[in-house]
Amino acid sequence: AQLDTLDLIVLVALLVGSVAYFTKGTYWAIPKDPYANSPATLNGAAKSGKTRNIIEKMDETGKNCVIFYGSQTGTAEDYASRLAKEGSQRFGLKTMVADIEDYDYENLDQFPEDKVAFFVLATYGEGEPTDNAVEFYQFFTGDDVAFESGATAEDSPLSSLKYVAFGLGNNTYEHYNAMVRRIDAAFTEMGAQRIGTAGEGDDGAGTMEEDFLAWKEPMWTALSDAMGLQERETSYEPVFSVTENEDKSPEDESVYLGEPTSAHRAGQPKGPYSAHNPYIAPIVESRELFTVKDRNCLHMEISIAGSNLSYQTGDHIAIWPTNAGAEVDRFLQVFGLEEKRHTVIDIKGIDVTAKVPIPTPTTYDAAIRYYMEVCAPVSRQFVSTLAPFAPDEDSKAEIVRLGNDKDYFHEKIANQCFNIAQALQAISSKPFSAVPFSLLIEGLNKLQPRYYSISSSSAVQKDKISITAVVESVRLPGASHFVKGVTTNYLLALKQKQNGDPSPDPHGMTYAIKGPRNKYDGIHVPVHVRHSNFKLPSDPSKPIIMVGPGTGVAPFRGFIQERASLAAKGEKVGTTVLFFGCRKRDEDFLYQDEFKTYQEQMGDSLKIITAFSREGPNKVYVQHRLKEHAQLVSDLLKEKANFYVCGDAANMAREVNIVLGSIIAEQRGMPSEKGEEMVKHMRSSGSYQEDVW
Ligand code: FAD
């Protein structure tokens, strides 16, 4: 019964989470205007009176292929768009992309036999569906599936449905690609005909893109056989018409210069603020946390006073970044757009179901600076689409070779960590002026907000959100350039500006600090808050164990801040243990001084156990310390402590999970499988919580 209640809580939390759902715009979906910030548009089709009947929609628009996506961070959505485009151009399919939450699935048993439905489904967290696929998933994996027609799971209701499936997962999580596996199993059981294999991409192994490329070719062959499709010579067909509008100047009020919504453009942003409508928040304080010169970790205080935004300790804040000026310039130069950077452009979808992911009208400069992910690693498929537009035969041949030869691509492009403009610079010194701008909009993601674990307590500072962000800046061995994270370097520039730093631009990144129409002047940044399930126990006398090396300490600073303030008020606070790790005590021990103050307030109930990886002869990590303190950990778990892990998902979190299982097994004299099972049980009952990335 306890599990049922918890399941229910998780379910409700997931549904609440779906309100905060954010993903990049799709090109072919039901048009919904993400730039208008009326809440009525947030749920797309449902609220705007558009049909939720996919069969009807396909009939009306003359489509024979729908590509549904369940996406959290935009990758599944991007793959859906790419499949739609390829299906249309190579095989003449009439494709459309659809957000899976915009349609009903109770009539999928009526899906016409001569059409096909694709399902591109990401698995999120612990084998969960993405926010937009929760209802779909529950419908098909629930106990009593019943379709509108009255058909049930036993009737082979999906026998007319041809489907294609691809999953996006991460093998470092236990329930690898659970979403696509379970949906595929449910569909098969209900008689649907899968075309090709159910593909699985693995983000954990870093092979997502190659897995996708390797899966799709045999799938297209199988689909061609099943539907009698003929592959044709492809020629590029733009999804958008991009026209230069000489009548408008960038100063015109109607032109988006980087503003996220029409209300922001008009200078009157208003709440409710959400993933579709960020709040332009003042950064009221910013400082450096590391004491070394070559690495940076930022502490920032972001004010949400007067915004009606609220947060709870353990939530996330999303920061909407701006691309570095140096990269905007490079991109403009590579595509021969420098002279026209401030020309106003109108972007329209050519197909009725195509949705423009960039607010329009805008300028080339604004589109690249504020709306397009131009710095991300570039995909092999995207590079190869540029071949027909290469400036000469040599560069065309080189692009074709890169497109066809995976290893060559890795050596020349991927291993150098080039973004698209850097890759093309390496291929030719001539500008790629013939590339249609539509192709760039189609091939690059919409610039995504980045999430940060809030490092303050809402009970202590309800109107101010702290973040703790390590600046991503890496020089690869042998490479000439630094690989720089988009958001963290933008935040570094804001911090340096705020503190009047004499060298505000260490690598000549030149950010537009003041934002569109100077609206971010005075150090502002667009943000929204995302609620999470990563929460302190409601009873503060319960003990807690936290494992948070590096910036994984972020939410735990909030947790400790909260418990210290309760202790200072005389409340009974349970044992609070933090396992923290970094390189060296005097270099990157985050919040060292602050923790001393909390220690005074909390006395013995706060225990900070440190692991410094570069101080002694051997590397010591938090997992080692956890093992050394096995007895303490085990005793606290017996007292019903909550156990929290935050930070690196790939290695640390996985190892901590294993170590905890072995601690439980050893301390209680159980076989190791039993220890693992106990950890699983702790996870499902909510006493083992992760906030990892
Ligand atoms: P990005 O531009 O997104 O780059 C990401 C990585 O890719 C970098 O390592 C970069 O070096 C590499 N990269 C960039 N361009 C290329 C290229 N062309 N080729 C190859 N590699 C490239 N981070 C924190 O510091 N503190 C937190 O508290 C925190 N909390 C988080 C909570 C959640 C729920 C999540 C999902 C993430 C959290 N993160 C946190 C991570 C954070 O969201 C960002 O991912 C991180 O700050 C990097 O963002 P960025 O825009 O600077 O880098």
Side-chain angles (χ1 to χ4, degrees):
Q2 195 193 359
L3 265 185
D4 289 348
T5 323
L6 273 156
D7 283 350
L8 206 73
I9 293 170
V10 171
L11 208 130
V12 170
L14 278 170
L15 288 174
V16 171
S18 72
V19 175
Y21 164 72
F22 176 87
T23 160
K24 89 182 178 96
T26 180
Y27 315 138
W28 310 60
I30 292 280
K32 48 181 178 182
D33 181 5
Y35 314 112
N37 54 13
S38 138
T41 62
L42 293 185
N43 281 345
K47 298 250 172 91
S48 55
K50 298 260 160 45
T51 181
R52 290 187 57 84
N53 182 331
I54 187 63
I55 299 169
E56 212 172 272
K57 178 77 194 176
M58 291 174 80
D59 270 348
E60 270 170 23
T61 51
K63 306 295 182 193
N64 60 358
C65 171
V66 58
I67 303 180
F68 289 107
Y69 63 85
S71 190
Q72 195 74 23
T73 59
T75 314
E77 189 180 351
D78 176 44
Y79 284 7
S81 302
R82 285 164 59 180
L83 288 167
K85 208 165 165 218
E86 202 172 334
S88 148
Q89 295 189 357
R90 276 177 69 187
F91 301 98
L93 281 166
K94 303 280 177 239
T95 57
M96 66 176 284
V97 170
D99 183 336
I100 206 152
E101 75 176 347
D102 283 349
Y103 291 92
D104 295 328
Y105 23 79
E106 284 87 347
N107 63 350
L108 282 185
D109 62 329
Q110 315 284 320
F111 199 81
E113 262 175 271
D114 57 347
K115 301 190 177 185
V116 62
F118 284 46
F119 295 85
V120 182
L121 302 171
T123 296
Y124 193 55
E126 298 298 315
E128 291 144 32
T130 54
D131 290 345
N132 71 330
V134 171
E135 284 179 33
F136 166 79
Y137 175 74
Q138 283 164 351
F139 180 83
F140 282 105
T141 57
D143 288 339
D144 29 36
V145 181
F147 290 89
E148 243 163 37
S149 63
T152 65
E154 287 72 48
D155 307 325
S156 287
L158 298 183
S159 55
S160 69
L161 175 71
K162 284 194 187 58
Y163 75 100
V164 168
F166 184 80
L168 296 86
N170 184 320
N171 76 5
T172 59
Y173 290 88
E174 189 182 331
H175 300 281
Y176 175 54
N177 260 314
M179 186 62 187
V180 76
R181 289 183 184 180
R182 289 180 196 152
I183 289 296
D184 182 49
F187 276 16
T188 307
E189 214 171 298
M190 290 180 220
Q193 284 171 67
R194 191 186 63 230
I195 310 291
T197 58
E200 294 185 353
D202 185 2
D203 205 24
T207 55
M208 182 72 80
E209 176 73 14
E210 291 302 339
D211 295 339
F212 175 68
L213 297 182
W215 161 81
K216 74 183 175 55
E217 285 314 314
M219 178 280 292
W220 287 125
T221 309
L223 187 64
S224 302
D225 289 349
M227 293 181 76
L229 307 172
Q230 289 294 327
E231 179 159 7
R232 51 189 196 185
E233 213 28 59
T234 53
S235 61
Y236 172 68
E237 290 162 26
V239 175
F240 306 107
S241 83
V242 179
T243 44
E244 292 172 4
N245 187 335
E246 303 295 345
D247 300 336
K248 277 207 172 106
S249 103
E251 277 80 48
D252 286 356
E253 268 175 31
S254 63
V255 178
Y256 286 89
L257 294 182
E259 295 91 344
T261 71
S262 54
H264 286 89
R265 188 196 56 200
Q268 293 163 330
K270 54 178 190 300
Y273 295 108
S274 67
H276 300 272
N277 179 30
Y279 172 59
I280 311 300
I283 296 178
V284 290
E285 193 198 320
S286 52
R287 62 189 156 91
E288 175 60 53
L289 292 171
F290 287 169
T291 58
V292 276
K293 284 237 156 53
D294 58 337
R295 294 192 298 141
N296 298 93
C297 185
L298 305 169
H299 176 89
M300 292 186 143
E301 297 283 346
I302 299 166
S303 172
I304 51 167
S307 68
N308 252 339
L309 279 175
S310 63
Y311 79 101
Q312 277 183 4
T313 314
D315 283 344
H316 301 135
I317 184 170
I319 307 274
W320 294 48
T322 297
N323 281 311
E327 289 303 331
V328 175
D329 293 349
R330 187 200 308 276
F331 191 95
L332 287 163
Q333 191 251 320
V334 162
F335 291 104
L337 295 167
E338 262 171 323
E339 306 285 304
K340 302 196 283 189
R341 72 190 303 156
H342 297 302
T343 301
V344 175
I345 49 175
D346 289 309
I347 310 170
K348 288 198 181 72
I350 292 172
D351 187 281
V352 280
T353 61
K355 196 189 76 182
V356 181
I358 293 177
T360 167
T362 183
T363 64
Y364 289 114
D365 185 290
I368 296 158
R369 192 180 301 275
Y370 293 102
Y371 304 123
M372 292 162 74
E373 196 82 74
V374 295
C375 294
V378 55
S379 82
R380 189 156 62 92
Q381 195 184 15
F382 180 50
V383 170
S384 66
T385 63
L386 302 180
F389 309 103
D392 53 34
E393 286 307 314
D394 284 353
S395 42
K396 182 173 178 175
E398 177 70 357
I399 290 183
V400 170
R401 181 171 173 203
L402 288 165
N404 292 334
D405 185 340
K406 182 168 130 183
D407 297 331
Y408 188 60
F409 181 84
H410 277 267
E411 179 198 329
K412 293 281 173 189
I413 308 290
N415 292 351
Q416 308 293 318
C417 292
F418 284 149
N419 61 38
I420 180 65
Q422 289 165 336
L424 296 184
Q425 275 181 331
I427 293 167
S428 172
S429 56
K430 295 183 193 153
F432 285 65
S433 311
V435 175
F437 201 67
S438 175
L439 180 49
L440 300 175
I441 303 174
E442 294 155 36
L444 299 172
N445 276 4
K446 187 174 171 180
L447 188 57
Q448 296 282 323
R450 291 358 183 221
Y451 288 103
Y452 294 87
S453 302
I454 293 177
S455 58
S456 52
S457 154
S458 54
V460 175
Q461 47 176 77
K462 80 174 177 33
D463 286 337
K464 252 190 331 182
I465 289 178
S466 309
I467 62 166
T468 310
V470 73
V471 178
E472 298 284 345
S473 179
V474 184
R475 177 178 248 152
L476 298 172
S480 55
H481 67 287
F482 282 83
V483 185
K484 296 203 150 272
V486 172
T487 313
T488 50
N489 286 280
Y490 167 55
L491 291 176
L492 175 65
L494 292 179
K495 178 234 146 195
Q496 293 187 330
K497 172 81 180 165
Q498 180 161 56
N499 292 278
D501 197 300
S503 60
D505 252 333
H507 297 107
M509 302 288 281
T510 60
Y511 288 90
I513 301 273
K514 293 182 181 175
R517 297 187 168 90
N518 293 337
K519 281 173 184 148
Y520 306 166
D521 201 4
I523 318 293
H524 286 69
V525 70
V527 302
H528 71 264
V529 173
R530 180 169 192 239
H531 298 292
S532 85
N533 299 328
F534 197 74
K535 290 285 165 287
L536 276 166
S538 47
D539 173 3
S541 69
K542 249 183 132 178
I544 59 171
I545 302 166
M546 301 167 284
V547 183
T551 45
V553 77
F556 303 139
R557 174 189 181 258
F559 282 16
I560 295 173
Q561 195 182 47
E562 184 148 329
R563 290 197 152 207
S565 87
L566 292 172
K569 284 184 204 146
E571 280 208 41
K572 184 170 172 336
V573 171
T575 304
T576 303
V577 183
L578 171 68
F579 288 90
F580 174 77
C582 64
R583 290 187 189 172
K584 289 186 177 168
R585 183 187 303 272
D586 58 1
E587 282 188 1
D588 52 358
F589 188 168
L590 302 174
Y591 303 113
Q592 186 173 183
D593 291 338
E594 218 177 291
F595 285 146
K596 285 183 192 143
T597 314
Y598 298 141
Q599 190 78 68
E600 282 159 21
Q601 286 165 330
M602 295 179 70
D604 282 349
S605 63
L606 177 62
K607 296 186 203 314
I608 296 182
I609 299 166
T610 49
F612 301 108
S613 63
R614 301 206 181 166
E615 284 196 347
N618 300 319
K619 292 203 162 163
V620 186
Y621 296 117
V622 281
Q623 341 24 326
H624 303 129
R625 292 286 186 245
L626 207 55
K627 252 190 209 150
E628 286 166 21
H629 292 81
Q631 171 112 46
L632 170 72
V633 170
S634 172
D635 289 350
L636 290 175
L637 290 183
K638 280 187 193 147
E639 291 170 37
K640 301 255 171 303
N642 271 7
F643 191 94
Y644 302 90
V645 187
C646 179
D648 169 38
N651 304 304
M652 183 275 300
R654 201 184 162 88
E655 283 175 32
V656 166
N657 188 344
I658 296 169
V659 168
L660 187 67
S662 69
I663 289 177
I664 294 174
E666 276 167 31
Q667 293 287 319
R668 302 190 189 177
M670 299 167 164
S672 61
E673 306 82 66
K674 193 85 184 120
E676 282 165 33
E677 225 170 83
M678 294 278 288
V679 178
K680 268 189 204 159
H681 181 74
M682 285 173 68
R683 280 177 184 272
S684 55
S685 69
S687 60
Y688 186 112
Q689 297 183 20
E690 273 184 348
D691 181 21
V692 294
W693 58 84

